[in-house]
Amino acid sequence: MGALAVVALHAMRATELAPGLAAAHPLLFWVEGIAQIPLARWAVPVFFMISGALILDPGREMPLRKVGRYIWRMAFILLTVGFAFCLMETVAKNPDLTGAYALTPPMVGTSFLHLLEGKSWDHLWYLYALIGLYLLTPVLRPFVRDASQRELGLAVLLAWALLALVPAANLVLGVRLYRFVMLDASVAYYLAGYYAYNYLALDWRIVAAGLASLALACLPNVLSLGSLAGVLSLPQYGVIMPYALLVFLLLRRVLDVPVDRHPVARALARDSFGIYLIHPLFGHLAIWFFDYRALSVPALQAGIFAVGVLGSVVLTRALRLLPGFRDKI
């Protein structure tokens, strides 16, 4: 469900960035800009929460060799699929004098530098963040194992404040408050996932906090506050975290049954990482090579969503036939 939510979000985003569409349909994109926050912005935080609930579980075997395999999996995908995306982006941004596109040796070097700097397709930041979380896992697991519920709860609140809310305050107030540490907000989601899975239940307090954070994240979009519109709902600013916790607990209550009860999820589960990874390719191709003005915007978005999901499944399964990819994607 999270992977499908991200595909839907990026289908909307791809059309919003298409030349001329946003200016021609301002009301539609204003409404979609608000709707995509409750419908999709929970997905990446919940991905991190699921990882924390599973990987930080003291009852799960997690030797350093296994952590190393997790790190290598993300690094391998970045060095292959991620590097291919960097090459595409570099070529697309550097046409020659005739308007044609060609790959040159300097572009290869530039693309690899962009990969190392994290200047690749925006959704790939999730893979970089996972590598960081895996590197922290041998330190976090002993803490989680030995901490009391109160100590772990305080750690989650502190991580949320320092790693997520302080950057959001910097953005809103236009200041640069000292962040104390330079870690990503994903650490807060990672710890929160373990804490929520083991200690939280869906009650009125969770619902109230979640809906309040959702309203705050939506407010800049509702008021059309320029550069803030859409930004407060991004995972790295942490405002959306209470809402993501609400969705995490709600989905757990609804979906925590045998997988046979969810045939679509069962069919797509193994491909969900590939869907997340590959789907933006189809949105880019649709905007670059398709006469998108011939369709209504909702029809175009629905087409990008459908092709993004199905095309990603096909490419994911095709990549597994190549050496090295079978257990990576």
Side-chain angles (χ1 to χ4, degrees):
M1 288 182 68
L4 296 181
V6 171
V7 178
L9 171 67
H10 288 164
M12 186 277 290
R13 186 63 176 156
T15 55
E16 185 180 24
L17 296 175
L21 282 188
H25 306 276
L27 179 60
L28 173 65
F29 283 104
W30 177 73
V31 171
E32 289 188 344
I34 298 170
Q36 52 92 6
I37 297 175
L39 295 178
R41 285 298 182 185
W42 55 268
V44 172
V46 168
F47 291 162
F48 287 129
M49 290 177 186
I50 293 170
S51 294
L54 294 175
I55 295 175
L56 295 179
D57 178 7
R60 178 181 291 262
E61 290 288 334
M62 196 59 61
L64 290 179
R65 179 176 294 180
K66 189 172 184 179
V67 174
R69 288 202 302 269
Y70 284 3
I71 293 171
W72 169 236
R73 181 190 183 197
M74 296 300 109
F76 178 87
I77 292 298
L78 284 171
L79 290 169
T80 53
V81 178
F83 183 52
F85 286 167
C86 287
L87 288 172
M88 285 185 243
E89 188 171 28
T90 302
V91 171
K93 290 182 176 179
N94 293 277
D96 61 24
L97 295 178
T98 67
Y101 298 95
L103 180 64
T104 64
M107 288 182 179
V108 176
T110 298
S111 300
F112 189 70
L113 181 61
H114 287 172
L115 180 72
L116 296 179
E117 293 176 335
K119 296 179 180 179
S120 50
W121 290 12
D122 288 345
H123 73 302
L124 294 184
W125 75 271
Y126 172 66
L127 276 67
Y128 294 93
L130 277 180
I131 290 176
L133 290 177
Y134 294 153
L135 288 170
L136 285 173
T137 292
V139 177
L140 293 177
R141 276 176 59 87
F143 167 72
V144 165
R145 181 193 63 217
D146 298 332
S148 66
Q149 179 180 349
R150 182 175 181 274
E151 290 169 339
L152 185 57
L154 288 174
V156 171
L157 287 175
L158 185 62
W160 185 39
L162 296 184
L163 307 181
L165 295 187
V166 169
N170 291 343
L171 177 74
V172 173
L173 301 177
V175 297
R176 292 195 60 81
L177 299 176
Y178 186 48
R179 288 186 60 184
F180 301 100
V181 289
M182 295 301 292
L183 289 173
D184 191 88
S186 57
V187 178
Y189 296 118
Y190 197 56
L191 287 172
Y194 176 81
Y195 182 82
Y197 191 78
N198 289 279
Y199 297 116
L200 291 185
L202 188 62
D203 59 21
W204 70 267
R205 293 169 297 180
I206 298 292
V207 173
L211 294 180
S213 79
L214 175 62
L216 186 58
C218 289
L219 189 61
N221 286 64
V222 173
L223 300 179
S224 299
L225 294 181
S227 60
L228 281 181
V231 176
L232 284 188
S233 65
L234 296 177
Q236 57 264 41
Y237 294 109
V239 174
I240 204 71
M241 178 170 161
Y243 177 66
L245 273 172
L246 169 60
V247 175
F248 177 80
L249 293 171
L250 180 63
L251 291 179
R252 179 187 176 189
R253 171 177 288 188
V254 173
L255 301 179
D256 194 11
V257 298
V259 71
D260 291 337
R261 297 266 299 274
H262 302 288
V264 176
R266 184 182 183 183
L268 294 178
R270 187 162 182 253
D271 300 319
S272 58
F273 179 55
I275 292 171
Y276 176 87
L277 179 68
I278 297 172
H279 76 271
L281 173 65
F282 299 96
H284 287 299
L285 293 176
I287 299 305
W288 287 344
F289 299 111
F290 186 71
D291 184 12
Y292 53 83
R293 292 181 181 85
L295 291 176
S296 69
V297 174
L300 176 63
Q301 292 170 339
I304 292 175
F305 174 82
V307 175
V309 173
L310 297 176
S312 297
V313 169
V314 170
L315 283 182
T316 297
R317 296 183 181 185
L319 282 173
R320 290 196 192 112
L321 301 176
L322 299 178
F325 278 94
R326 173 172 293 183
D327 58 346
K328 303 294 194 308
I329 190 171

